[in-house]
Amino acid sequence: MQTVSATTKQVNGEKAVVNGKAAKEKMELPVEMAGMVPLRLLIGKMVSKAYSDLMTLTDTLPAMSDIERKRQILYFTTETRKQFLKLMVLVHWAMDANDIQMCQNIMAFLANQNRMFQESVDYLHKIHAELPAARVRNFDILTAVDVLTTGSYQRMPTKVQDMLPPAPLTDDQVLQTFDKMNDELRIRMLTKEVLPIPMNNYRIANGRIYFCVNNEFEVAMTLMGNVNQQKWWIVSLDILVQPSATGSAADVDITLNETQRQRLRSNAQAQLTPPENDPHFFPLVNLYDYLHLFCLNMQLEILFMQATMMAKTRWMDQLKVQMNVARTTLTLSYWGGGSPTAHWGSPQNKEDATIAPVAAPGAMLPPSTVVEIAIQDQATPQMAVAIRDEWKGLIQKSGLGASVALSDLDDQAKSKVFAALKYPKTLLNILWNADKDLHSDEPLLDPSQLNVERLLLHMTAYHRQSILDKFHTLLQSQAAFLEENGLLFIDKSASSTASAHGRPLMVQFRPDRFVHLDVDSRTGRVKVSETGKHGSDGDVKLRGLEERLNTDPTNLARHLIWLRSEVVVHEIVSLAKQLHWTPFHPTQMLLQPDDMVKLFDDPEPPSAAASAAGAAHPTAPSSAAPVATTTTTTPGKPGYPAHCVFLQFAQFEDWYLVIAVMHNEFQASLCCLRKSDQNVQHQEFVDLIHVEYQQIWKERFGSGRLDDMLLPVKPESHDDAKQPRSAKRRRTLQDTAPLLKDNTKVQSSALSSKTDNLSIDLSFLAKLESLSRYILRP
């Protein structure tokens, strides 16, 4: 830091130069380092760069040729020397750096002083320019005299009084004002106003008139303006439509916020403004129509939001929600759109329970699980006669003001006024499968507690009961037919109708085994469960029965007989495995169609069986009778019974015991099958013996038992030895049949009429095996 000295003298606290004799005072100069770098930093960077380039050169030289190495060394030396020569010049110049720094600091000091002088001149000029405007105004002598003499300002403008708030009214004045306003409202309602019928009940209090429409809205209004031009003004407006606080959609909140309330109030206020050139404008009627339509739309939006939330949570995949573009119609489809059983059991389907729903070619079945909630206009064009008959009553319902305001109208004006005052105009209409009958004595939608789930639960429960009732009707009408096929319908409705209502239907299909038929009200599918002594076949057969009932409900008896036959075949297979028999399905036997005809005696076609069963049982369904003889066929070829099994003997590998369930009875046969050499795709049918098992079955499941019965063996004669083996077996079976028949003649009378024709157990099957071995003995 450089300093300069000057000769000064202290005079009256100030310093001045006197004859060059004074103490030396040091003055600091600012250090200006613009554009300068420390020399040590520059030298360090130069040395570091030269060293870095040298290290890089030593690493890269071994990989170069001799000429290239020399070239690189020369280039490095030349460039480094140039840089250090420049550095040497700077070092020589740095010897005079202090003098140069002194000059640079003095120049910076002088530049700063020059700037300060210039700013001082500018500020003085600014003061000179602004000073005239800072003059003090003349004193207000007149105002001072008024205030000092009278104590107040006497020249205040009278307009200021209008800007001051008026003095507050006393309690008595407020009550008097309210009474006057109440009188004005009563006179207005009695002389001028035409009321809509839903707003006939009102009350007047505290200078306001209150209109409350149940479950919709409540509005408070008053009159404002001059006496001859008084208009209605809405003081408060509350919407009473609210969603329910319970149910799966309890979290839906559609209450209006403050901004929406203000906008609704503004729009409602606009409905009270009369249009130009309309003498028959009724402000309160117009206000009600607007608020009523708003409440209906709000109800529909709440139901839509509740249904949408339900479709995403508890009713997922079972509820479809759709709103039209105009947002006036909400369509709900429960049970995933419905099934044939849902349409068949629909409460709106008045057809016979035995008739299956059939759609026209290319068309779809009518909706059976659709609920439509729509805002519909109920106004209909009125004839002159209807207007004349209802005009007087309509005027009376519209208040005393209507009788005064509408006392003198022509026919055209009456028609217009009648259309404006006739209620209901619009309402929320509910259609269940295009039918207005909801089968409920109470309203299902309460606007003050909207709950769409309550509506759906009622409809699904009633729909479920309708399906069960039709199933009940079918079972009752076919009770005799079911009993002949080993099924028993346990009807609980005869004893206690109230308690049995809604309960599942129970059918006994095997001894100690019962099946319950019910409908899931959430999914709409028929559910089948089993009670009693469960078998080892699990739920596979029950699920198969469910699929059949959900697609073809009219053939209920046929499906129950199918379940019974399936269970019986499963029991036979289970027992046969314990006796070391090997069971085979008919499709595994690879038999020719002609062999199937020989084996099962060409089962009668379904049409013939149906006609025979229908003649025997007029109440039985035509499609249920041939169940026992239903065959599995291919086009143009005879088939095999649907419920049969081939049991292979362990000792006689070519012989099979074939048991089929046909006409609620067993059909047993012994057949011999061998692989054909000519046709490897089919087996050769060698021999067939029909087994008469009835005597053994009666002994086992009747009053007696066959445990001690011995079959006699007839000695073989010389002529018998010459006969074919199959013929000998047939003769042997024929010879044993009379003995079995005589042995059970006394016991047959003791058989119970309730004995199941398809009863089977291990003992019976073991005796049947013994009989078969006896027949097949060598």
Side-chain angles (χ1 to χ4, degrees), residues 754-770:
K754 298 297 183 181
T755 303
D756 190 353
N757 293 340
L758 298 182
S759 298
I760 189 170
D761 60 3
L762 187 62
S763 177
F764 167 70
L765 203 60
K767 296 181 184 302
L768 188 60
E769 182 193 22
S770 300

mmCIF file with all atom_site columns, all heavy atoms in Angstrom, residues 754-770:
data_model
loop_
_atom_site.group_PDB
_atom_site.id
_atom_site.type_symbol
_atom_site.label_atom_id
_atom_site.label_alt_id
_atom_site.label_comp_id
_atom_site.label_asym_id
_atom_site.label_entity_id
_atom_site.label_seq_id
_atom_site.pdbx_PDB_ins_code
_atom_site.Cartn_x
_atom_site.Cartn_y
_atom_site.Cartn_z
_atom_site.occupancy
_atom_site.B_iso_or_equiv
_atom_site.pdbx_formal_charge
_atom_site.auth_seq_id
_atom_site.auth_comp_id
_atom_site.auth_asym_id
_atom_site.auth_atom_id
_atom_site.pdbx_PDB_model_num
ATOM 1   N N   . LYS A 1 754 ? -90.128 -98.406  -0.977  1.00 0.00 ? 754 LYS A N   1
ATOM 2   C CA  . LYS A 1 754 ? -89.215 -97.286  -1.029  1.00 0.00 ? 754 LYS A CA  1
ATOM 3   C C   . LYS A 1 754 ? -87.778 -97.702  -1.291  1.00 0.00 ? 754 LYS A C   1
ATOM 4   O O   . LYS A 1 754 ? -86.879 -96.885  -1.214  1.00 0.00 ? 754 LYS A O   1
ATOM 5   C CB  . LYS A 1 754 ? -89.278 -96.506  0.294   1.00 0.00 ? 754 LYS A CB  1
ATOM 6   C CG  . LYS A 1 754 ? -90.645 -95.906  0.602   1.00 0.00 ? 754 LYS A CG  1
ATOM 7   C CD  . LYS A 1 754 ? -91.036 -94.877  -0.431  1.00 0.00 ? 754 LYS A CD  1
ATOM 8   C CE  . LYS A 1 754 ? -92.374 -94.236  -0.070  1.00 0.00 ? 754 LYS A CE  1
ATOM 9   N NZ  . LYS A 1 754 ? -92.798 -93.230  -1.068  1.00 0.00 ? 754 LYS A NZ  1
ATOM 10  N N   . THR A 1 755 ? -87.562 -98.962  -1.575  1.00 0.00 ? 755 THR A N   1
ATOM 11  C CA  . THR A 1 755 ? -86.202 -99.437  -1.826  1.00 0.00 ? 755 THR A CA  1
ATOM 12  C C   . THR A 1 755 ? -85.643 -98.785  -3.092  1.00 0.00 ? 755 THR A C   1
ATOM 13  O O   . THR A 1 755 ? -86.314 -98.735  -4.120  1.00 0.00 ? 755 THR A O   1
ATOM 14  C CB  . THR A 1 755 ? -86.187 -100.962 -1.973  1.00 0.00 ? 755 THR A CB  1
ATOM 15  O OG1 . THR A 1 755 ? -86.738 -101.537 -0.788  1.00 0.00 ? 755 THR A OG1 1
ATOM 16  C CG2 . THR A 1 755 ? -84.761 -101.464 -2.158  1.00 0.00 ? 755 THR A CG2 1
ATOM 17  N N   . ASP A 1 756 ? -84.407 -98.304  -2.996  1.00 0.00 ? 756 ASP A N   1
ATOM 18  C CA  . ASP A 1 756 ? -83.760 -97.657  -4.132  1.00 0.00 ? 756 ASP A CA  1
ATOM 19  C C   . ASP A 1 756 ? -83.354 -98.713  -5.138  1.00 0.00 ? 756 ASP A C   1
ATOM 20  O O   . ASP A 1 756 ? -82.617 -99.661  -4.809  1.00 0.00 ? 756 ASP A O   1
ATOM 21  C CB  . ASP A 1 756 ? -82.535 -96.872  -3.654  1.00 0.00 ? 756 ASP A CB  1
ATOM 22  C CG  . ASP A 1 756 ? -81.979 -95.989  -4.748  1.00 0.00 ? 756 ASP A CG  1
ATOM 23  O OD1 . ASP A 1 756 ? -82.458 -96.084  -5.891  1.00 0.00 ? 756 ASP A OD1 1
ATOM 24  O OD2 . ASP A 1 756 ? -81.062 -95.207  -4.453  1.00 0.00 ? 756 ASP A OD2 1
ATOM 25  N N   . ASN A 1 757 ? -83.846 -98.583  -6.375  1.00 0.00 ? 757 ASN A N   1
ATOM 26  C CA  . ASN A 1 757 ? -83.525 -99.582  -7.399  1.00 0.00 ? 757 ASN A CA  1
ATOM 27  C C   . ASN A 1 757 ? -82.052 -99.596  -7.759  1.00 0.00 ? 757 ASN A C   1
ATOM 28  O O   . ASN A 1 757 ? -81.580 -100.561 -8.361  1.00 0.00 ? 757 ASN A O   1
ATOM 29  C CB  . ASN A 1 757 ? -84.343 -99.317  -8.662  1.00 0.00 ? 757 ASN A CB  1
ATOM 30  C CG  . ASN A 1 757 ? -85.826 -99.555  -8.440  1.00 0.00 ? 757 ASN A CG  1
ATOM 31  O OD1 . ASN A 1 757 ? -86.221 -100.250 -7.495  1.00 0.00 ? 757 ASN A OD1 1
ATOM 32  N ND2 . ASN A 1 757 ? -86.666 -98.975  -9.281  1.00 0.00 ? 757 ASN A ND2 1
ATOM 33  N N   . LEU A 1 758 ? -81.342 -98.537  -7.435  1.00 0.00 ? 758 LEU A N   1
ATOM 34  C CA  . LEU A 1 758 ? -79.916 -98.465  -7.759  1.00 0.00 ? 758 LEU A CA  1
ATOM 35  C C   . LEU A 1 758 ? -79.057 -98.639  -6.510  1.00 0.00 ? 758 LEU A C   1
ATOM 36  O O   . LEU A 1 758 ? -77.920 -98.176  -6.468  1.00 0.00 ? 758 LEU A O   1
ATOM 37  C CB  . LEU A 1 758 ? -79.596 -97.128  -8.432  1.00 0.00 ? 758 LEU A CB  1
ATOM 38  C CG  . LEU A 1 758 ? -80.291 -96.866  -9.763  1.00 0.00 ? 758 LEU A CG  1
ATOM 39  C CD1 . LEU A 1 758 ? -79.853 -95.527  -10.336 1.00 0.00 ? 758 LEU A CD1 1
ATOM 40  C CD2 . LEU A 1 758 ? -80.005 -97.975  -10.767 1.00 0.00 ? 758 LEU A CD2 1
ATOM 41  N N   . SER A 1 759 ? -79.608 -99.325  -5.499  1.00 0.00 ? 759 SER A N   1
ATOM 42  C CA  . SER A 1 759 ? -78.813 -99.597  -4.296  1.00 0.00 ? 759 SER A CA  1
ATOM 43  C C   . SER A 1 759 ? -77.699 -100.577 -4.642  1.00 0.00 ? 759 SER A C   1
ATOM 44  O O   . SER A 1 759 ? -77.901 -101.567 -5.366  1.00 0.00 ? 759 SER A O   1
ATOM 45  C CB  . SER A 1 759 ? -79.694 -100.177 -3.193  1.00 0.00 ? 759 SER A CB  1
ATOM 46  O OG  . SER A 1 759 ? -80.694 -99.248  -2.818  1.00 0.00 ? 759 SER A OG  1
ATOM 47  N N   . ILE A 1 760 ? -76.529 -100.308 -4.117  1.00 0.00 ? 760 ILE A N   1
ATOM 48  C CA  . ILE A 1 760 ? -75.386 -101.168 -4.392  1.00 0.00 ? 760 ILE A CA  1
ATOM 49  C C   . ILE A 1 760 ? -74.391 -101.021 -3.251  1.00 0.00 ? 760 ILE A C   1
ATOM 50  O O   . ILE A 1 760 ? -74.254 -99.941  -2.661  1.00 0.00 ? 760 ILE A O   1
ATOM 51  C CB  . ILE A 1 760 ? -74.731 -100.788 -5.740  1.00 0.00 ? 760 ILE A CB  1
ATOM 52  C CG1 . ILE A 1 760 ? -73.679 -101.823 -6.136  1.00 0.00 ? 760 ILE A CG1 1
ATOM 53  C CG2 . ILE A 1 760 ? -74.128 -99.399  -5.697  1.00 0.00 ? 760 ILE A CG2 1
ATOM 54  C CD1 . ILE A 1 760 ? -73.166 -101.652 -7.552  1.00 0.00 ? 760 ILE A CD1 1
ATOM 55  N N   . ASP A 1 761 ? -73.756 -102.124 -2.905  1.00 0.00 ? 761 ASP A N   1
ATOM 56  C CA  . ASP A 1 761 ? -72.709 -102.088 -1.894  1.00 0.00 ? 761 ASP A CA  1
ATOM 57  C C   . ASP A 1 761 ? -71.688 -103.163 -2.224  1.00 0.00 ? 761 ASP A C   1
ATOM 58  O O   . ASP A 1 761 ? -71.784 -103.863 -3.239  1.00 0.00 ? 761 ASP A O   1
ATOM 59  C CB  . ASP A 1 761 ? -73.276 -102.263 -0.486  1.00 0.00 ? 761 ASP A CB  1
ATOM 60  C CG  . ASP A 1 761 ? -74.018 -103.593 -0.321  1.00 0.00 ? 761 ASP A CG  1
ATOM 61  O OD1 . ASP A 1 761 ? -74.040 -104.396 -1.309  1.00 0.00 ? 761 ASP A OD1 1
ATOM 62  O OD2 . ASP A 1 761 ? -74.575 -103.837 0.766   1.00 0.00 ? 761 ASP A OD2 1
ATOM 63  N N   . LEU A 1 762 ? -70.695 -103.277 -1.375  1.00 0.00 ? 762 LEU A N   1
ATOM 64  C CA  . LEU A 1 762 ? -69.599 -104.207 -1.635  1.00 0.00 ? 762 LEU A CA  1
ATOM 65  C C   . LEU A 1 762 ? -70.066 -105.650 -1.595  1.00 0.00 ? 762 LEU A C   1
ATOM 66  O O   . LEU A 1 762 ? -69.611 -106.480 -2.387  1.00 0.00 ? 762 LEU A O   1
ATOM 67  C CB  . LEU A 1 762 ? -68.483 -103.972 -0.613  1.00 0.00 ? 762 LEU A CB  1
ATOM 68  C CG  . LEU A 1 762 ? -67.183 -104.750 -0.857  1.00 0.00 ? 762 LEU A CG  1
ATOM 69  C CD1 . LEU A 1 762 ? -66.560 -104.345 -2.185  1.00 0.00 ? 762 LEU A CD1 1
ATOM 70  C CD2 . LEU A 1 762 ? -66.203 -104.493 0.294   1.00 0.00 ? 762 LEU A CD2 1
ATOM 71  N N   . SER A 1 763 ? -71.014 -105.966 -0.694  1.00 0.00 ? 763 SER A N   1
ATOM 72  C CA  . SER A 1 763 ? -71.503 -107.350 -0.595  1.00 0.00 ? 763 SER A CA  1
ATOM 73  C C   . SER A 1 763 ? -72.232 -107.757 -1.870  1.00 0.00 ? 763 SER A C   1
ATOM 74  O O   . SER A 1 763 ? -72.018 -108.855 -2.396  1.00 0.00 ? 763 SER A O   1
ATOM 75  C CB  . SER A 1 763 ? -72.419 -107.481 0.624   1.00 0.00 ? 763 SER A CB  1
ATOM 76  O OG  . SER A 1 763 ? -72.962 -108.783 0.704   1.00 0.00 ? 763 SER A OG  1
ATOM 77  N N   . PHE A 1 764 ? -73.112 -106.870 -2.353  1.00 0.00 ? 764 PHE A N   1
ATOM 78  C CA  . PHE A 1 764 ? -73.843 -107.202 -3.576  1.00 0.00 ? 764 PHE A CA  1
ATOM 79  C C   . PHE A 1 764 ? -72.886 -107.369 -4.758  1.00 0.00 ? 764 PHE A C   1
ATOM 80  O O   . PHE A 1 764 ? -73.021 -108.304 -5.554  1.00 0.00 ? 764 PHE A O   1
ATOM 81  C CB  . PHE A 1 764 ? -74.864 -106.106 -3.857  1.00 0.00 ? 764 PHE A CB  1
ATOM 82  C CG  . PHE A 1 764 ? -75.454 -106.179 -5.236  1.00 0.00 ? 764 PHE A CG  1
ATOM 83  C CD1 . PHE A 1 764 ? -76.325 -107.189 -5.612  1.00 0.00 ? 764 PHE A CD1 1
ATOM 84  C CD2 . PHE A 1 764 ? -75.115 -105.229 -6.196  1.00 0.00 ? 764 PHE A CD2 1
ATOM 85  C CE1 . PHE A 1 764 ? -76.849 -107.247 -6.893  1.00 0.00 ? 764 PHE A CE1 1
ATOM 86  C CE2 . PHE A 1 764 ? -75.636 -105.282 -7.469  1.00 0.00 ? 764 PHE A CE2 1
ATOM 87  C CZ  . PHE A 1 764 ? -76.516 -106.298 -7.818  1.00 0.00 ? 764 PHE A CZ  1
ATOM 88  N N   . LEU A 1 765 ? -71.927 -106.468 -4.870  1.00 0.00 ? 765 LEU A N   1
ATOM 89  C CA  . LEU A 1 765 ? -71.008 -106.559 -5.987  1.00 0.00 ? 765 LEU A CA  1
ATOM 90  C C   . LEU A 1 765 ? -70.128 -107.799 -5.877  1.00 0.00 ? 765 LEU A C   1
ATOM 91  O O   . LEU A 1 765 ? -69.759 -108.411 -6.888  1.00 0.00 ? 765 LEU A O   1
ATOM 92  C CB  . LEU A 1 765 ? -70.145 -105.294 -6.046  1.00 0.00 ? 765 LEU A CB  1
ATOM 93  C CG  . LEU A 1 765 ? -69.530 -104.964 -7.421  1.00 0.00 ? 765 LEU A CG  1
ATOM 94  C CD1 . LEU A 1 765 ? -70.639 -104.760 -8.448  1.00 0.00 ? 765 LEU A CD1 1
ATOM 95  C CD2 . LEU A 1 765 ? -68.682 -103.703 -7.336  1.00 0.00 ? 765 LEU A CD2 1
ATOM 96  N N   . ALA A 1 766 ? -69.802 -108.215 -4.640  1.00 0.00 ? 766 ALA A N   1
ATOM 97  C CA  . ALA A 1 766 ? -69.016 -109.441 -4.456  1.00 0.00 ? 766 ALA A CA  1
ATOM 98  C C   . ALA A 1 766 ? -69.821 -110.665 -4.877  1.00 0.00 ? 766 ALA A C   1
ATOM 99  O O   . ALA A 1 766 ? -69.287 -111.604 -5.501  1.00 0.00 ? 766 ALA A O   1
ATOM 100 C CB  . ALA A 1 766 ? -68.581 -109.564 -2.994  1.00 0.00 ? 766 ALA A CB  1
ATOM 101 N N   . LYS A 1 767 ? -71.118 -110.706 -4.539  1.00 0.00 ? 767 LYS A N   1
ATOM 102 C CA  . LYS A 1 767 ? -71.960 -111.841 -4.962  1.00 0.00 ? 767 LYS A CA  1
ATOM 103 C C   . LYS A 1 767 ? -72.123 -111.844 -6.481  1.00 0.00 ? 767 LYS A C   1
ATOM 104 O O   . LYS A 1 767 ? -72.174 -112.913 -7.109  1.00 0.00 ? 767 LYS A O   1
ATOM 105 C CB  . LYS A 1 767 ? -73.304 -111.758 -4.264  1.00 0.00 ? 767 LYS A CB  1
ATOM 106 C CG  . LYS A 1 767 ? -73.213 -111.900 -2.745  1.00 0.00 ? 767 LYS A CG  1
ATOM 107 C CD  . LYS A 1 767 ? -74.566 -111.829 -2.108  1.00 0.00 ? 767 LYS A CD  1
ATOM 108 C CE  . LYS A 1 767 ? -74.441 -111.866 -0.578  1.00 0.00 ? 767 LYS A CE  1
ATOM 109 N NZ  . LYS A 1 767 ? -73.756 -113.069 -0.094  1.00 0.00 ? 767 LYS A NZ  1
ATOM 110 N N   . LEU A 1 768 ? -72.226 -110.618 -7.061  1.00 0.00 ? 768 LEU A N   1
ATOM 111 C CA  . LEU A 1 768 ? -72.320 -110.558 -8.518  1.00 0.00 ? 768 LEU A CA  1
ATOM 112 C C   . LEU A 1 768 ? -71.030 -111.056 -9.160  1.00 0.00 ? 768 LEU A C   1
ATOM 113 O O   . LEU A 1 768 ? -71.053 -111.708 -10.205 1.00 0.00 ? 768 LEU A O   1
ATOM 114 C CB  . LEU A 1 768 ? -72.616 -109.120 -8.941  1.00 0.00 ? 768 LEU A CB  1
ATOM 115 C CG  . LEU A 1 768 ? -72.939 -108.896 -10.422 1.00 0.00 ? 768 LEU A CG  1
ATOM 116 C CD1 . LEU A 1 768 ? -74.177 -109.694 -10.833 1.00 0.00 ? 768 LEU A CD1 1
ATOM 117 C CD2 . LEU A 1 768 ? -73.177 -107.409 -10.690 1.00 0.00 ? 768 LEU A CD2 1
ATOM 118 N N   . GLU A 1 769 ? -69.910 -110.780 -8.518  1.00 0.00 ? 769 GLU A N   1
ATOM 119 C CA  . GLU A 1 769 ? -68.640 -111.295 -9.028  1.00 0.00 ? 769 GLU A CA  1
ATOM 120 C C   . GLU A 1 769 ? -68.604 -112.817 -8.926  1.00 0.00 ? 769 GLU A C   1
ATOM 121 O O   . GLU A 1 769 ? -68.144 -113.517 -9.846  1.00 0.00 ? 769 GLU A O   1
ATOM 122 C CB  . GLU A 1 769 ? -67.476 -110.681 -8.255  1.00 0.00 ? 769 GLU A CB  1
ATOM 123 C CG  . GLU A 1 769 ? -66.116 -111.156 -8.777  1.00 0.00 ? 769 GLU A CG  1
ATOM 124 C CD  . GLU A 1 769 ? -64.993 -110.812 -7.823  1.00 0.00 ? 769 GLU A CD  1
ATOM 125 O OE1 . GLU A 1 769 ? -65.270 -110.610 -6.639  1.00 0.00 ? 769 GLU A OE1 1
ATOM 126 O OE2 . GLU A 1 769 ? -63.843 -110.776 -8.288  1.00 0.00 ? 769 GLU A OE2 1
ATOM 127 N N   . SER A 1 770 ? -69.101 -113.347 -7.793  1.00 0.00 ? 770 SER A N   1
ATOM 128 C CA  . SER A 1 770 ? -69.126 -114.818 -7.628  1.00 0.00 ? 770 SER A CA  1
ATOM 129 C C   . SER A 1 770 ? -70.000 -115.455 -8.686  1.00 0.00 ? 770 SER A C   1
ATOM 130 O O   . SER A 1 770 ? -69.652 -116.503 -9.258  1.00 0.00 ? 770 SER A O   1
ATOM 131 C CB  . SER A 1 770 ? -69.629 -115.155 -6.221  1.00 0.00 ? 770 SER A CB  1
ATOM 132 O OG  . SER A 1 770 ? -68.782 -114.598 -5.243  1.00 0.00 ? 770 SER A OG  1
#
